[in-house]
PDB file of all heavy atoms in Angstrom:
ATOM      1  N   SER A 331      12.379  16.563  -1.057  1.00 85.00           N
ATOM      2  CA  SER A 331      11.955  15.188  -1.297  1.00 85.00           C
ATOM      3  C   SER A 331      10.785  14.779  -0.414  1.00 85.00           C
ATOM      4  O   SER A 331      10.618  15.280   0.702  1.00 85.00           O
ATOM      5  CB  SER A 331      13.140  14.243  -1.058  1.00 85.00           C
ATOM      6  OG  SER A 331      12.736  12.896  -1.063  1.00 85.00           O
ATOM      7  N   GLU A 332       9.984  13.834  -0.920  1.00 76.00           N
ATOM      8  CA  GLU A 332       8.888  13.300  -0.114  1.00 76.00           C
ATOM      9  C   GLU A 332       9.411  12.428   1.021  1.00 76.00           C
ATOM     10  O   GLU A 332       8.726  12.215   2.022  1.00 76.00           O
ATOM     11  CB  GLU A 332       7.919  12.484  -0.979  1.00 76.00           C
ATOM     12  CG  GLU A 332       8.495  11.200  -1.551  1.00 76.00           C
ATOM     13  CD  GLU A 332       7.442  10.355  -2.260  1.00 76.00           C
ATOM     14  OE1 GLU A 332       6.397  10.082  -1.654  1.00 76.00           O
ATOM     15  OE2 GLU A 332       7.681   9.971  -3.411  1.00 76.00           O
ATOM     16  N   GLU A 333      10.625  11.899   0.898  1.00 71.00           N
ATOM     17  CA  GLU A 333      11.190  11.025   1.923  1.00 71.00           C
ATOM     18  C   GLU A 333      12.028  11.866   2.877  1.00 71.00           C
ATOM     19  O   GLU A 333      13.253  11.919   2.781  1.00 71.00           O
ATOM     20  CB  GLU A 333      12.025   9.911   1.273  1.00 71.00           C
ATOM     21  CG  GLU A 333      11.223   8.943   0.429  1.00 71.00           C
ATOM     22  CD  GLU A 333      10.237   8.115   1.237  1.00 71.00           C
ATOM     23  OE1 GLU A 333      10.399   8.016   2.474  1.00 71.00           O
ATOM     24  OE2 GLU A 333       9.290   7.580   0.651  1.00 71.00           O
ATOM     25  N   ARG A 334      11.358  12.547   3.810  1.00 68.00           N
ATOM     26  CA  ARG A 334      12.066  13.400   4.763  1.00 68.00           C
ATOM     27  C   ARG A 334      13.130  12.631   5.529  1.00 68.00           C
ATOM     28  O   ARG A 334      14.242  13.109   5.733  1.00 68.00           O
ATOM     29  CB  ARG A 334      11.082  14.000   5.782  1.00 68.00           C
ATOM     30  CG  ARG A 334      10.191  15.081   5.255  1.00 68.00           C
ATOM     31  CD  ARG A 334       9.390  15.710   6.377  1.00 68.00           C
ATOM     32  NE  ARG A 334       8.513  14.763   7.043  1.00 68.00           N
ATOM     33  CZ  ARG A 334       7.275  14.497   6.668  1.00 68.00           C
ATOM     34  NH1 ARG A 334       6.773  15.096   5.612  1.00 68.00           N
ATOM     35  NH2 ARG A 334       6.527  13.642   7.332  1.00 68.00           N
ATOM     36  N   LYS A 335      12.782  11.436   5.966  1.00 67.00           N
ATOM     37  CA  LYS A 335      13.672  10.661   6.832  1.00 67.00           C
ATOM     38  C   LYS A 335      14.981  10.329   6.130  1.00 67.00           C
ATOM     39  O   LYS A 335      16.050  10.357   6.744  1.00 67.00           O
ATOM     40  CB  LYS A 335      12.953   9.379   7.272  1.00 67.00           C
ATOM     41  CG  LYS A 335      13.783   8.468   8.158  1.00 67.00           C
ATOM     42  CD  LYS A 335      12.994   7.233   8.545  1.00 67.00           C
ATOM     43  CE  LYS A 335      13.813   6.264   9.376  1.00 67.00           C
ATOM     44  NZ  LYS A 335      13.050   5.038   9.730  1.00 67.00           N
ATOM     45  N   HIS A 336      14.912  10.014   4.830  1.00 66.00           N
ATOM     46  CA  HIS A 336      16.100   9.551   4.115  1.00 66.00           C
ATOM     47  C   HIS A 336      16.812  10.667   3.360  1.00 66.00           C
ATOM     48  O   HIS A 336      18.034  10.642   3.214  1.00 66.00           O
ATOM     49  CB  HIS A 336      15.706   8.437   3.132  1.00 66.00           C
ATOM     50  CG  HIS A 336      15.105   7.235   3.798  1.00 66.00           C
ATOM     51  ND1 HIS A 336      15.802   6.435   4.669  1.00 66.00           N
ATOM     52  CD2 HIS A 336      13.854   6.709   3.734  1.00 66.00           C
ATOM     53  CE1 HIS A 336      15.026   5.460   5.110  1.00 66.00           C
ATOM     54  NE2 HIS A 336      13.833   5.604   4.554  1.00 66.00           N
ATOM     55  N   HIS A 337      16.062  11.650   2.848  1.00 71.00           N
ATOM     56  CA  HIS A 337      16.660  12.649   1.969  1.00 71.00           C
ATOM     57  C   HIS A 337      16.535  14.079   2.475  1.00 71.00           C
ATOM     58  O   HIS A 337      17.113  14.981   1.873  1.00 71.00           O
ATOM     59  CB  HIS A 337      16.011  12.567   0.573  1.00 71.00           C
ATOM     60  CG  HIS A 337      16.090  11.223  -0.046  1.00 71.00           C
ATOM     61  ND1 HIS A 337      15.072  10.695  -0.813  1.00 71.00           N
ATOM     62  CD2 HIS A 337      17.061  10.273  -0.011  1.00 71.00           C
ATOM     63  CE1 HIS A 337      15.403   9.487  -1.224  1.00 71.00           C
ATOM     64  NE2 HIS A 337      16.601   9.207  -0.753  1.00 71.00           N
ATOM     65  N   GLY A 338      15.797  14.306   3.564  1.00 72.00           N
ATOM     66  CA  GLY A 338      15.519  15.673   3.964  1.00 72.00           C
ATOM     67  C   GLY A 338      16.183  16.130   5.238  1.00 72.00           C
ATOM     68  O   GLY A 338      16.423  17.320   5.425  1.00 72.00           O
ATOM     69  N   ILE A 339      16.477  15.194   6.144  1.00 80.00           N
ATOM     70  CA  ILE A 339      17.008  15.584   7.447  1.00 80.00           C
ATOM     71  C   ILE A 339      18.209  14.718   7.815  1.00 80.00           C
ATOM     72  O   ILE A 339      18.432  13.639   7.259  1.00 80.00           O
ATOM     73  CB  ILE A 339      15.947  15.454   8.560  1.00 80.00           C
ATOM     74  CG1 ILE A 339      15.509  13.996   8.723  1.00 80.00           C
ATOM     75  CG2 ILE A 339      14.767  16.373   8.291  1.00 80.00           C
ATOM     76  CD1 ILE A 339      14.634  13.739   9.940  1.00 80.00           C
TER      77      ILE A 339
END
Side-chain angles (χ1 to χ4, degrees):
S331 170
E332 67 173 308
E333 295 294 341
R334 287 187 298 271
K335 179 180 177 181
H336 299 295
H337 304 143
I339 63 171

